[in-house]
Amino acid sequence: MTFNSLQFLVFFMVVTLWFFRLKSQKGRVWLLLVASCYFYMSFIPEYILILGGTIVIDYLAGFLIEKNTGSTRKFWLIISLIANIGALAVFKYYNFFIDNIHTGINFFGNKLSLPVLEMALPVGLSFHTFQAMSYTIEVYRGNQKAERNFVVYALYVMFYPQLVAGPIERPQNVLPQLKEFRGYNWDNVKEGLARMLWGFFKKVVIADRLAMVVDRTFAHTIESSSTALFIGAVFYSFQIYCDFSGYSDIALGAAKVMNIRLMENFNQPYLSRGIQEFWSRWHISLSSWFRDYLYIPLGGNRKGGLRRKFNVFIVFLLSGLWHGANWTFVIWGVLHGLLVILLAGKTIEKNRSFIYTACRVIVNFILVTFLWIFFRAENLGAAWEYIQRICSFIGGSNYIGIGGVEFVFSLMVIAIMMLRERYGKGFFIASNTRFYLYTAMMVLICYFFGVFAENQFIYFQF
Amino acid sequence: MWASTSRTAMQFVADHRDHDKWWGLNQMKHGDLASMSNLDFLDKFYTNHVANFRRPKYNGPKNVNLYIHGDSYLYKMYMGDSVFAGVSSLYFIGWTSILHYHLDTTKRNIFIIEVSERLLREYYHTTKIIDEFHDTVETQGKTGVLRSAEQGQKYGSFIPGIISDNFFNKFINQNLQCNIFNYNWIKPMYGSKAALNYYLFDRASGDVIISKDKQYLLLRQTLVPVGNGSSLSPVSDDEISLLVNNFNEIYDYYRGTGFTEIYLSIIPNTATIVQPDGYNNLIPRVQNDPRLKMAVIDIYSVFKQTKEKVFLPGDTHWNNTGKQMWFDTVNKILVGK
């Protein structure tokens, strides 16, 4: 069940109306848990067993960590981490590992055929395992009490708006909200719905429209001109942003309607003036997860410059691998890490001219765009070929999958999106009349200008 | 929501919905692609379903029992025995049907396997398909009549059938669309969006693409560079070998059950003929493979050579001219021996 499907709209409506009819928080928690189970099972029902298994282990581990001290406490944390990372290792990385063993052995002329796992990657595995790990780590650190109520804990991991593509939440933020009964709040409903509509707009009007260009250029790299490929790459930057941040907007909006505040995941990343700043604005919940649970425990910047660089490199390497079991993601992460290391200390001077700032933003955007090519390409060879052809200013087909009018329209909606996010003041609309007008306008725009090809959200695959 | 996910409920809706009334939009009335893209208001994509096929000029004996295992290109509702030369009995078996048959060995028993190009790789790429295929001809029964059989998609054993049938249906979005929005009075809204895309952006919506010459609507699936149904997605030599091997196994099986002649007929995608740039050559590579045991009814070559239009402009299928060409090609085989 993707957010941009009719099934989700009906599902959301039914669950939300039912949610507000219930007069006890216990009933609401049960409702949301059952709804979240259905939401998850609508992808592949059997995979709920994997999710359920890790939930039970982490729930028990939380108890045992809290109850024990010293090495026993650490032991249960390790058990929890092994369970979660183990699930990732088996279902996400096993085949990648085996493929590389095969390649290595075949390179030396030997033949070996190890069994591979013939199953699709469970949806959102990387997200909910990381969220579950943040719980046991926080309990271990003493920042969070172990949750007694299993249903509440299960809902913390499974809460449907953020189950399959984040934000990767922290227990301190979500658990208290799940236990507190809050009455119907029209302001929250308005704000949540307005944000959801904005998310739908970014997904169906922008991201899925740009996908037509991106899919075309990445599939026809050899015959396309440098200009077409460059447009494809730039459009991919906006596609992935609108796709992922659109998802986050819908997730945050849906939660807000039910009086639950989730953490922000984006802050206009393409207005960053440097790569370091980009990472403080892009996928914030993941960046902060790696910062809190990997970078700082590794020593952060407390153990000298060389060690800091090593720590940054490890974080970005693993961040790349987190996105997918493919060398393209690893290289994407490594390149980002190297840039952050190389450009460290290049602080952003205040009070510089608008032109200077604009140039930095543009240069950084182009840099990020070129790195996205690794993220989008099927393999490293394809990515390299794509970049080479852009840089060689070669001729070829200028066809980008859409006509001239739609190209201009695409630029226009990108500009509207950027301006709205730069100068817009949140999603709360005080006046009811203005809210209704906004809703009607957005629904009509999404319907008439939306591209409905049942495209999944890009980050669902992670 | 339940009504849209339940197989039983959707069957009820399908059975009781009158397609000409306000609440029953007829999706196929003007051609499947024209309806899918809501461009059926344009005359150029209108589909004429009236079929008038030539009777073959043949006065010889009717000594052929013709069995056709085919898909929507040959649904029996659009043809009759009379279009075939020398055929005494015609048995048409759709993809979800089972045939009980008893071969009359005093006659020529001919079996034609007809498959559209976009389904070829999906149907015949695993041996599992062959097992299913074998099941469609049930040799125990000797009644010679057709019987329907459901081949529903079930989820794994963990989910009981009653739950998967009623709560997890992979077509739920299409079913919801059908139950909530598929009414004649909503049709103008669909048409408005389609018109906006067509006139402003010069394209169709969703799963439909307009051909470069603007004369045809094409199924997106047949033109994207990935996927089994595409005319453009690369086909490896190994996959061709697999397909040929699977057809050979099918050939051996039916030869073993007593059929004297077995033919393979692959109907090309519209895109393969009208927009062949980058074609993966799937049909010629299978048909011309020297390892293939089955004889071939080569309509691909006929379509490539003809100057006439052989496909419907707003539908995935061929037009009457194309279908007539297929009948003519088959009749040459029927009377040639």
Side-chain angles (χ1 to χ4, degrees):
Chain A
M1 185 191 314
T2 57
F3 279 176
N4 56 331
S5 67
L6 199 52
Q7 184 186 12
F8 175 75
L9 294 181
V10 175
F11 167 85
F12 173 74
M13 207 163 64
V14 171
V15 171
T16 306
L17 290 175
W18 201 349
F19 177 86
F20 283 118
R21 277 191 67 82
L22 295 171
K23 299 299 176 201
S24 76
Q25 188 61 11
K26 189 179 172 186
R28 286 182 172 185
V29 169
W30 268 104
L31 169 72
L32 288 179
L33 183 63
V34 171
S36 299
C37 286
Y38 178 75
F39 179 84
Y40 192 75
M41 291 172 78
S42 68
F43 293 100
I44 299 177
E46 285 76 16
Y47 287 179
I48 192 118
L49 293 177
I50 300 166
L51 183 56
T54 56
I55 286 173
V56 170
I57 291 170
D58 293 324
Y59 173 73
L60 294 174
F63 260 132
L64 293 163
I65 290 168
E66 189 179 67
K67 193 178 159 191
N68 290 290
T69 55
S71 58
T72 316
R73 186 178 172 88
K74 198 169 198 169
F75 170 78
W76 287 113
L77 174 67
I78 290 169
I79 291 293
S80 161
L81 297 182
I82 287 174
N84 288 292
I85 296 170
L88 277 173
V90 172
F91 296 108
K92 186 164 181 172
Y93 300 110
Y94 173 77
N95 284 352
F96 176 60
F97 181 67
I98 294 296
D99 277 351
N100 282 291
I101 288 182
H102 284 160
T103 308
I105 288 174
N106 291 342
F107 181 77
F108 292 106
N110 296 315
K111 288 275 178 194
L112 180 71
S113 183
L114 296 168
V116 292
L117 208 58
E118 291 188 357
M119 63 182 289
L121 174 69
V123 177
L125 184 67
S126 302
F127 287 94
H128 60 72
T129 49
F130 268 47
Q131 180 152 324
M133 282 193 281
S134 75
Y135 167 76
T136 46
I137 293 171
E138 291 297 337
V139 172
Y140 176 79
R141 288 177 175 177
N143 298 331
Q144 172 67 42
K145 283 188 173 179
E147 177 55 52
R148 264 51 185 170
N149 188 329
F150 177 76
V151 181
V152 170
Y153 173 72
L155 182 58
Y156 158 72
V157 180
M158 294 191 67
F159 184 45
Y160 79 83
Q162 39 89 243
L163 172 59
V164 291
I168 303 169
E169 270 294 350
R170 306 302 166 83
Q172 295 95 321
N173 180 35
V174 175
L175 281 172
Q177 296 188 70
L178 295 180
K179 290 192 274 194
E180 184 186 346
F181 182 86
R182 294 180 189 177
Y184 174 79
N185 184 323
W186 173 232
D187 284 349
N188 282 349
V189 171
K190 281 195 296 183
E191 187 176 343
L193 290 177
R195 185 158 199 171
M196 287 177 79
L197 283 168
W198 181 245
F200 285 123
F201 171 79
K202 286 204 282 189
K203 171 63 178 166
V204 300
V205 178
I206 307 181
D208 288 350
R209 170 167 278 101
L210 302 186
M212 293 191 286
V213 177
V214 174
D215 292 348
R216 159 82 201 181
T217 53
F218 275 85
H220 296 87
T221 306
I222 295 170
E223 70 245 42
S224 298
S225 68
S226 297
T227 313
L229 294 177
F230 183 70
I231 291 169
V234 170
F235 273 20
Y236 183 62
S237 291
F238 286 108
Q239 184 204 346
I240 194 166
Y241 171 68
C242 290
D243 190 283
F244 192 18
S245 70
Y247 175 91
S248 293
D249 284 328
I250 298 169
L252 268 72
K256 186 77 180 180
V257 168
M258 292 179 282
N259 299 319
I260 293 171
R261 185 182 46 77
L262 299 177
M263 70 187 292
E264 292 292 336
N265 222 6
F266 294 90
N267 180 19
Q268 302 161 68
Y270 292 146
L271 296 183
S272 307
R273 290 156 294 180
I275 204 78
Q276 231 168 341
E277 188 185 352
F278 173 80
W279 277 104
S280 66
R281 291 162 167 256
W282 177 273
H283 202 174
I284 298 166
S285 64
L286 180 70
S287 308
S288 58
W289 195 100
F290 274 114
R291 181 196 64 211
D292 294 345
Y293 302 127
L294 186 64
Y295 179 70
I296 292 173
L298 283 173
N301 55 6
R302 304 186 307 276
K303 296 188 176 178
L306 197 63
R307 179 61 184 266
R308 189 196 74 82
K309 287 174 183 170
F310 175 76
N311 292 343
V312 169
F313 184 80
I314 291 295
V315 164
F316 278 95
L317 173 71
L318 292 178
S319 169
L321 200 57
W322 177 89
H323 282 87
N326 192 326
W327 285 107
T328 51
F329 295 115
V330 176
I331 295 298
W332 172 79
V334 164
L335 291 174
H336 268 283
L338 290 175
L339 283 175
V340 170
I341 291 167
L342 289 171
L343 302 176
K346 304 277 186 294
T347 50
I348 298 147
E349 304 87 343
K350 287 180 180 172
N351 303 322
R352 295 301 297 256
S353 69
F354 172 78
I355 293 176
Y356 174 80
T357 307
C359 285
R360 284 197 68 148
V361 167
I362 290 167
V363 168
N364 189 62
F365 174 75
I366 291 172
L367 207 55
V368 169
T369 292
F370 270 88
L371 296 185
W372 279 132
I373 293 171
F374 287 96
F375 198 91
R376 172 61 176 78
E378 292 288 316
N379 52 57
L380 287 178
W384 186 239
E385 183 169 36
Y386 198 101
I387 292 170
Q388 267 188 322
R389 286 188 68 88
I390 289 181
C391 297
S392 59
F393 300 101
I394 211 161
S397 167
N398 281 323
Y399 181 62
I400 55 170
I402 57 175
V405 175
E406 193 152 25
F407 175 69
V408 173
F409 180 80
S410 302
L411 294 178
M412 209 173 74
V413 287
I414 288 171
I416 290 170
M417 181 270 297
M418 295 291 282
L419 290 170
R420 162 74 176 82
E421 298 204 334
R422 179 78 180 89
Y423 299 108
K425 300 212 175 352
F427 294 95
F428 177 61
I429 303 168
S431 153
N432 283 349
T433 311
R434 285 182 61 189
F435 170 73
Y436 294 133
L437 281 174
Y438 170 84
T439 303
M441 184 185 75
M442 291 300 280
V443 168
L444 287 175
I445 288 174
C446 287
Y447 175 72
F448 280 105
F449 293 102
V451 175
F452 298 96
E454 295 207 7
N455 290 333
Q456 276 214 348
F457 287 85
I458 295 171
Y459 265 67
F460 271 32
Q461 61 184 299
F462 308 137
Chain B
M1 188 132 165
W2 171 79
S4 301
T5 190
S6 161
R7 191 182 298 237
T8 316
M10 283 309 296
Q11 189 60 51
F12 178 85
V13 170
D15 290 345
H16 290 81
R17 217 166 157 165
D18 184 337
H19 281 280
D20 287 326
K21 294 284 168 59
W22 66 272
W23 71 298
L25 189 60
N26 188 345
Q27 290 286 10
M28 300 301 162
K29 198 171 174 181
H30 302 291
D32 52 11
L33 294 174
S35 292
M36 278 166 67
S37 60
N38 295 300
L39 288 173
D40 42 7
F41 61 89
L42 294 170
D43 289 344
K44 65 188 286 189
F45 298 130
Y46 179 75
T47 290
N48 178 12
H49 283 295
V50 178
N52 288 308
F53 298 111
R54 286 193 300 272
R55 283 174 175 270
K57 291 173 184 167
Y58 175 75
N59 297 318
K62 290 194 169 187
N63 64 345
V64 173
N65 281 350
L66 180 60
Y67 295 81
I68 302 176
H69 189 273
D71 55 21
S72 54
Y73 280 79
L74 288 175
Y75 274 165
K76 199 175 180 183
M77 65 179 110
Y78 297 127
M79 66 181 182
D81 307 20
S82 60
V83 297
F84 293 109
V87 169
S88 62
S89 298
L90 170 69
Y91 301 104
F92 180 78
I93 317 144
W95 283 102
T96 56
S97 302
I98 293 176
L99 175 68
H100 292 245
Y101 74 102
H102 176 61
L103 293 182
D104 179 354
T105 50
T106 63
K107 293 189 171 158
R108 286 171 65 197
N109 291 297
I110 298 179
F111 199 105
I112 296 175
I113 295 166
E114 176 271 314
V115 57
S116 54
E117 185 180 15
R118 71 185 163 89
L119 300 175
L120 172 71
R121 292 163 74 187
E122 186 186 331
Y123 278 144
Y124 291 106
H125 90 291
T126 63
T127 50
K128 175 174 164 288
I129 294 301
I130 293 176
D131 291 338
E132 285 177 4
F133 192 91
H134 287 178
D135 288 342
T136 61
V137 177
E138 203 172 72
T139 51
Q140 285 82 9
K142 298 178 191 295
T143 59
V145 294
L146 299 172
R147 180 165 69 84
S148 299
E150 189 182 6
Q151 293 179 336
Q153 170 85 25
K154 302 274 187 190
Y155 286 106
S157 56
F158 158 64
I159 305 293
I162 191 167
I163 294 180
S164 63
D165 276 0
N166 284 285
F167 294 99
F168 301 105
N169 182 329
K170 67 176 183 171
F171 298 112
I172 186 168
N173 280 307
Q174 291 92 323
N175 293 348
L176 279 167
Q177 170 86 16
C178 173
N179 286 340
I180 302 175
F181 295 118
N182 225 36
Y183 306 106
N184 282 326
W185 57 271
I186 297 182
K187 183 76 180 160
M189 209 166 91
Y190 293 148
S192 307
K193 180 179 166 69
L196 187 125
N197 277 331
Y198 183 74
Y199 291 115
L200 185 63
F201 299 137
D202 198 20
R203 64 173 171 81
S205 311
D207 293 328
V208 181
I209 291 175
I210 299 170
S211 65
K212 285 178 183 168
D213 64 5
K214 313 288 181 196
Q215 298 301 307
Y216 294 93
L217 296 178
L218 304 172
L219 195 61
R220 178 179 294 277
Q221 175 198 353
T222 63
L223 268 176
V224 290
V226 290
N228 286 338
S230 171
S231 298
L232 306 183
S233 67
V235 187
S236 68
D237 290 341
D238 285 347
E239 190 173 353
I240 296 292
S241 299
L242 181 72
L243 291 168
V244 169
N245 188 49
N246 290 346
F247 281 124
N248 285 346
E249 283 190 36
I250 293 165
Y251 175 85
D252 291 340
Y253 177 84
Y254 285 105
R255 285 288 290 178
T257 63
F259 283 100
T260 48
E261 297 163 48
I262 298 154
Y263 295 91
L264 172 64
S265 182
I266 307 170
I267 315 301
N269 294 332
T270 310
T272 297
I273 301 299
V274 305
Q275 201 165 298
D277 297 346
Y279 179 46
N280 58 21
N281 286 309
L282 174 64
I283 296 178
R285 285 167 73 191
V286 171
Q287 289 186 163
N288 302 333
D289 193 298
R291 294 166 294 181
L292 187 68
K293 292 180 182 174
M294 282 186 201
V296 168
I297 296 168
D298 184 10
I299 200 66
Y300 168 76
S301 300
V302 175
F303 285 179
K304 286 293 283 182
Q305 284 161 13
T306 186
K307 298 274 187 250
E308 292 188 75
K309 289 186 173 180
V310 291
F311 289 101
L312 292 166
D315 196 282
T316 45
H317 299 89
W318 48 22
N319 62 15
N320 290 339
T321 309
K323 198 170 186 177
Q324 182 67 59
M325 286 179 181
W326 190 82
F327 290 143
D328 293 344
T329 311
V330 172
N331 283 334
K332 281 180 194 164
I333 290 167
L334 295 177
V335 301
K337 293 194 178 179

